[in-house]
Amino acid sequence: MYKKIQFIILSIIGAMSLHAQTLESPNGDFKAVFSINPKGTPTYQLDYKGKTIVKPSKLGLDLHNDTDLIENFSIIDTQNSSFDETWKPVWGEESSIRNHYNEMAVTLQQAETNRKMIIRFRMFNDGLGFRYEFPEQQDLTYFVLTEERTEFAMTGDHKTFWIAGDYDTQEYDYTTSKLSEIRGLMDKAITPNSSQTPFSPTGVQTALLMKTDEGVFINLHEAALVDYSCMHLNLDDKNLVFESHLTPDAKGVKGYLQTPCATPWRTIIASDKAGDILLSRMTLNLNEPCKIEDTSWIKPVKYIGVWWEMITEKSSWAYTNLPSVQLENIDYSKTKPNGIHGATNENVRKHIDFAAKHGFDQVLVEGWNIGWEDWFGKSKDYVFDFVTPYPDFDIKALNEYAHSKGVKLMMHHETSSSVRNYERHLSDAYKLMNKYGYNSVKSGYVGDMIPRGEHHYGQWLNNHYLYAIEKAAEHKIMVNAHEAVRPTGLCRTYPNLIGNESARGTEYQAFGGSKANHTTILPFTRLIGGPMDYTPGIFEMDIKKLNPDNHSHVNATIANQLALYVTMYSPLQMAADLPEHYEQFMDAFQFIKDVAIDWDETRVLEAEPGEFITYARKAKNSDEWFVGNTNGYNARQSEIKFDFLEKGKKYEATIYSDTKATHYKTNPQAYEIKTITVTSKSKLKQFCAPGGGYAIQIK
């Protein structure tokens, strides 16, 4: 009997090997094995440096009222190829990016339906991307998804940096735990938000970072999310297998597809060096090249704004205190102002003057347009018109004043998630921007969606976000979308997508505070897909000094806030605090004025997620370098080398750092500034306080 069982097992293994296809990375570090299991289900396995990091995992999709694309497949063709190019981003962390991969496209045919499905694998030196493709064919034209069944089978109970899976928000603090501990920690991880729909006690969001006991870092995400629902990951915590979980629409459907079509790429980035995860450009490389022919109008932006005073509730977005307004019936010139409106002519001019004096490009103004009195939580369709200013905001005069000072105003479009209303007004809103010389807009999607029942990350909304970006490009407008789906590298294809929020940003420091190590995790997770408008630069950490009723505390030091301009990459960087707070610390503010926002070269000098990150970046078309370190909860001594500098040259390094007495909670405003001479042979040992860090300008 034993020999018979052994023969059957060997026969099955032999049959499986007949279908096995392998693909290696150009440098040989990664190997993927694709095969069809005895049920005809496609599977893949991923090895890194000779060890398995993703065990055999199933692939397929469930269809609505149709035969699922799961089983009874056979391989009818395999095509292998290689690709190697270097492309130049419009803006970025480097002036050029190498796109080098080996590819394997496996064409499958399902026995009972005769349907064809291609699974395309691209193997880079930093990991694997794969997607499903459906060629035009007689037996499959229109089809509806009820779920995607892509698996990621983990090899152990890895240390994981995660936020709760949710169809409507990513604005959670990160939890660090073993995979097996996610279920027990989920309730605590789900904190209040303006719109949220958690879906599972073990559901988490991408980009997800893990660290194995052997010290291998693994990042799971997706690339090129177009005409498809956002992917979450649902964990089978008994077997430690993640399965994709797509965001549903109002009917519970996960996607509507028509051949020829393809899904987004599923990505696995891995390395035994944490810094390699941060330096991976695989997500960008899996997106299509730039579709905008003339990109000369797309420029990185450093800005200030009439914003933090509203976030802290020192000022108001609304002009009046009316409990209810109907835009078509109200004459604001006859209403009583509330006296705390932020977007006034006087206040905006003050910000324009400050921006001009200190070399900032733009001034964001929120609350400039009518409708803010009852904008939130009312499921209101016609909430804003995006073109009519309040009586105390002279849109023509303020733009002329800004332009006379060499400054632009930044537009703000809060939709209150009434997306149907926004699309009705979008053309007129962009035309108004062109008329007055605005070239960038911060859009927002706060609250539950209209159409009601839709979610922020479903296929319908993802199509809207891209529609807004494409229409903005026609008007030569750059877009910074808040509360939209998290980025998946689409900024390569549409570089006017200059920023996103799509994570827990600085505003939460005024909503009770964020974890002091939050920004040592975000670059490994959220920023894998694209830059974040994190809005750093807060110098006054005690929020009750702005608003006596707000007892929040910013869990960071001043040196930490300076470092964020280097560690939290974005071509769109805000100095988020009030001008009067910067005027109290002008020597520290000098770094924000000087730091670049576009780069020729990027290095990671040291990194450990949740603990610390140190970047060095070379400014675009310059010999200047900037270094930034953000530190977690534990005080430590950072040790870095300056071997990235040109040999044989002397440089002046100005270091903005914590002091020995600095602490993010008890003494956050203590810092010191010193200038030293460095060369490529120099080394630095620098103290980092809890919640602190340091920033260096090298020239």
Side-chain angles (χ1 to χ4, degrees):
M1 183 67 177
Y2 172 79
K3 289 184 177 180
K4 183 177 181 181
I5 293 172
Q6 187 180 41
F7 174 78
I8 292 171
I9 293 172
L10 290 172
S11 297
I12 291 172
I13 292 172
M16 288 177 65
S17 68
L18 291 175
H19 297 283
Q21 314 283 330
T22 62
L23 179 69
E24 291 192 354
S25 60
N27 65 4
D29 283 352
F30 288 91
K31 183 177 78 170
V33 179
F34 176 82
S35 62
I36 302 292
N37 75 10
K39 291 185 176 181
T41 298
T43 70
Y44 76 99
Q45 173 181 314
L46 183 62
D47 296 347
Y48 172 66
K49 293 186 176 180
K51 294 185 178 180
T52 299
I53 58 171
V54 179
K55 297 191 295 185
S57 301
K58 298 175 185 177
L59 300 167
L61 302 103
D62 287 345
L63 303 190
H64 178 65
N65 292 333
D66 204 343
T67 303
D68 294 332
L69 299 171
I70 298 286
E71 297 180 347
N72 299 318
F73 281 103
S74 60
I75 298 173
I76 62 172
D77 186 43
T78 302
Q79 298 288 331
N80 288 81
S81 61
S82 296
F83 187 79
D84 193 358
E85 69 167 0
T86 299
W87 59 278
K88 293 185 177 296
V90 176
W91 43 260
E93 296 177 80
E94 296 93 8
S95 57
S96 62
I97 294 174
R98 189 180 184 188
N99 184 15
H100 187 200
Y101 59 82
N102 293 330
E103 180 174 283
M104 178 172 69
V106 183
T107 302
L108 308 173
Q109 185 167 326
Q110 192 175 40
E112 70 267 42
T113 66
N114 202 38
R115 291 171 173 172
K116 293 182 176 64
M117 178 173 72
I118 299 169
I119 303 179
R120 188 177 303 274
F121 296 89
R122 286 185 181 170
M123 187 74 84
F124 301 79
N125 288 336
D126 41 351
L128 174 67
F130 61 90
R131 71 179 182 187
Y132 305 89
E133 298 177 4
F134 303 94
E136 190 172 352
Q137 54 194 290
Q138 182 177 344
D139 298 304
L140 186 65
T141 303
Y142 296 95
F143 58 110
V144 178
L145 299 185
T146 55
E147 192 56 273
E148 181 186 318
R149 297 295 183 186
T150 302
E151 291 184 349
F152 304 86
M154 297 296 100
T155 59
D157 194 9
H158 305 330
K159 181 180 182 180
T160 307
F161 303 84
W162 59 275
I163 56 175
D166 196 299
Y167 301 149
D168 287 295
T169 188
Q170 301 117 354
E171 296 177 358
Y172 294 126
D173 254 323
Y174 278 85
T175 300
T176 303
S177 74
K178 294 286 189 180
L179 288 170
S180 61
E181 296 169 336
I182 290 175
R183 183 184 297 271
L185 296 170
M186 184 60 73
D187 286 347
K188 187 178 179 182
I190 300 172
T191 50
N193 197 271
S194 62
S195 179
Q196 56 191 148
T197 313
F199 64 85
S200 164
T202 58
V204 296
Q205 300 195 41
T206 70
L208 180 76
L209 182 73
M210 293 168 282
K211 184 180 182 181
T212 72
D213 289 343
E214 295 75 31
V216 176
F217 297 90
I218 303 170
N219 180 285
L220 304 181
H221 192 34
E222 63 179 320
L225 174 56
V226 176
D227 195 19
Y228 204 79
S229 290
C230 170
M231 180 184 73
H232 307 276
L233 298 172
N234 207 22
L235 178 66
D236 171 354
D237 49 357
K238 291 183 179 178
N239 297 303
L240 302 180
V241 176
F242 284 111
E243 185 178 73
S244 57
H245 180 97
L246 302 181
T247 305
D249 69 2
K251 296 170 63 176
V253 168
K254 302 297 182 84
Y256 301 83
L257 302 180
Q258 178 185 357
T259 59
C261 60
T263 70
W265 297 91
R266 280 61 188 101
T267 62
I268 306 167
I269 302 169
S271 179
D272 48 18
K273 296 178 181 178
D276 289 349
I277 305 295
L278 301 174
L279 293 173
S280 172
R281 305 295 175 246
M282 195 173 88
T283 310
L284 290 174
N285 281 329
L286 286 168
N287 278 266
E288 295 296 317
C290 179
K291 288 189 175 183
I292 300 173
E293 192 169 327
D294 172 22
T295 60
S296 60
W297 52 275
I298 301 172
K299 305 287 187 184
V301 176
K302 192 184 293 186
Y303 72 107
I304 64 170
V306 182
W307 174 75
W308 188 241
E309 60 190 81
M310 279 91 93
I311 292 295
T312 59
E313 297 185 313
K314 176 181 183 290
S315 300
S316 167
W317 282 276
Y319 176 72
T320 78
N321 287 335
L322 294 174
S324 173
V325 299
Q326 294 177 330
L327 296 189
E328 62 271 36
N329 296 325
I330 188 170
D331 181 354
Y332 275 98
S333 68
K334 297 178 181 178
T335 61
K336 181 183 178 181
N338 59 23
I340 57 170
H341 184 220
T344 66
N345 293 324
E346 180 184 3
N347 195 26
V348 173
R349 283 195 181 95
K350 182 184 77 171
H351 282 77
I352 292 170
D353 291 342
F354 186 86
K357 181 179 179 180
H358 297 291
F360 287 81
D361 304 303
Q362 298 193 16
V363 176
L364 166 70
V365 184
E366 296 198 7
W368 68 275
N369 57 313
I370 61 173
W372 285 91
E373 284 75 12
D374 60 350
W375 72 283
F376 173 72
K378 309 298 191 297
S379 193
K380 186 177 181 179
D381 188 3
Y382 183 33
V383 58
F384 297 115
D385 71 4
F386 308 99
V387 296
T388 307
Y390 279 125
D392 58 351
F393 184 88
D394 189 330
I395 188 170
K396 181 177 184 293
L398 287 171
N399 276 286
E400 288 175 351
Y401 184 72
H403 297 162
S404 74
K405 298 261 185 172
V407 174
K408 288 181 179 290
L409 294 187
M410 182 181 291
M411 179 54 72
H412 182 235
H413 289 166
E414 175 55 60
T415 69
S416 190
S417 284
S418 182
V419 176
R420 182 175 70 166
N421 179 60
Y422 190 38
E423 289 193 353
R424 282 197 296 253
H425 292 89
L426 193 59
S427 179
D428 287 342
Y430 285 163
K431 287 177 182 176
L432 181 84
M433 291 179 62
N434 291 155
K435 177 181 178 180
Y436 290 113
Y438 292 90
N439 72 344
S440 62
V441 59
K442 173 185 174 182
S443 57
Y445 297 87
V446 174
D448 294 336
M449 278 291 163
I450 299 176
R452 297 174 183 90
E454 293 292 336
H455 296 291
H456 283 72
Y457 312 143
Q459 182 183 26
W460 194 90
L461 267 301
N462 293 337
N463 288 345
H464 160 77
Y465 303 135
L466 188 53
Y467 170 79
I469 292 163
E470 290 174 329
K471 287 297 179 185
E474 294 175 10
H475 291 266
K476 295 188 176 181
I477 290 170
M478 299 180 289
V479 177
N480 166 29
H482 282 224
E483 294 89 30
V485 71
R486 76 280 192 280
T488 58
L490 281 171
C491 57
R492 178 189 179 186
T493 313
Y494 303 95
N496 67 316
L497 177 57
I498 199 171
N500 282 105
E501 181 191 39
S502 306
R504 187 182 179 98
T506 296
E507 63 186 358
Y508 278 84
Q509 298 282 22
F511 302 160
S514 294
K515 292 180 180 178
N517 69 343
H518 185 54
T519 55
T520 68
I521 298 172
L522 282 173
F524 289 98
T525 53
R526 160 63 183 78
L527 270 70
I528 293 296
M532 179 178 177
D533 184 28
Y534 187 73
T535 62
I538 304 301
F539 281 12
E540 178 50 73
M541 313 304 175
D542 187 356
I543 303 302
K544 68 176 179 291
K545 290 184 179 179
L546 288 81
N547 174 10
D549 297 325
N550 187 336
H551 296 278
S552 297
H553 183 86
V554 179
N555 294 321
T557 71
I558 285 181
N560 171 280
Q561 291 292 293
L562 299 181
L564 293 175
Y565 291 91
V566 182
T567 66
M568 292 288 291
Y569 168 68
S570 179
L572 179 77
Q573 290 284 18
M574 184 184 195
D577 212 335
L578 307 186
E580 51 264 39
H581 293 157
Y582 292 132
E583 287 166 351
Q584 297 173 30
F585 304 97
M586 288 305 295
D587 54 351
F589 183 62
Q590 187 65 42
F591 183 83
I592 298 178
K593 293 171 60 175
D594 291 340
V595 68
I597 52 175
D598 200 14
W599 309 101
D600 269 339
E601 188 178 343
T602 291
R603 307 279 187 96
V604 178
L605 306 185
E606 54 178 359
E608 182 64 34
E611 301 294 334
F612 54 86
I613 297 175
T614 308
Y615 275 99
R617 303 190 194 266
K618 185 175 180 289
K620 180 66 70 70
N621 299 322
S622 170
D623 290 331
E624 280 192 273
W625 285 80
F626 292 85
V627 175
N629 165 280
T630 51
N631 193 44
Y633 282 100
N634 300 313
R636 65 180 293 270
Q637 185 163 265
S638 170
E639 298 186 15
I640 63 171
K641 299 177 181 179
F642 291 88
D643 53 4
F644 51 85
L645 297 176
E646 187 176 337
K647 293 180 179 178
K649 278 191 175 183
K650 290 185 178 180
Y651 294 81
E652 180 183 273
T654 302
I655 303 170
Y656 302 76
S657 67
D658 301 318
T659 71
K660 292 286 186 179
T662 308
H663 190 283
Y664 75 92
K665 209 71 170 176
T666 59
N667 195 18
Q669 292 177 317
Y671 63 90
E672 60 185 13
I673 303 172
K674 62 183 178 182
T675 299
I676 61 173
T677 299
V678 296
T679 69
S680 62
K681 297 180 179 179
S682 298
K683 298 178 182 179
L684 176 70
K685 294 182 179 180
Q686 181 61 55
F687 173 75
C688 304
Y694 60 87
I696 308 176
Q697 180 182 16
I698 305 169
K699 59 182 180 180

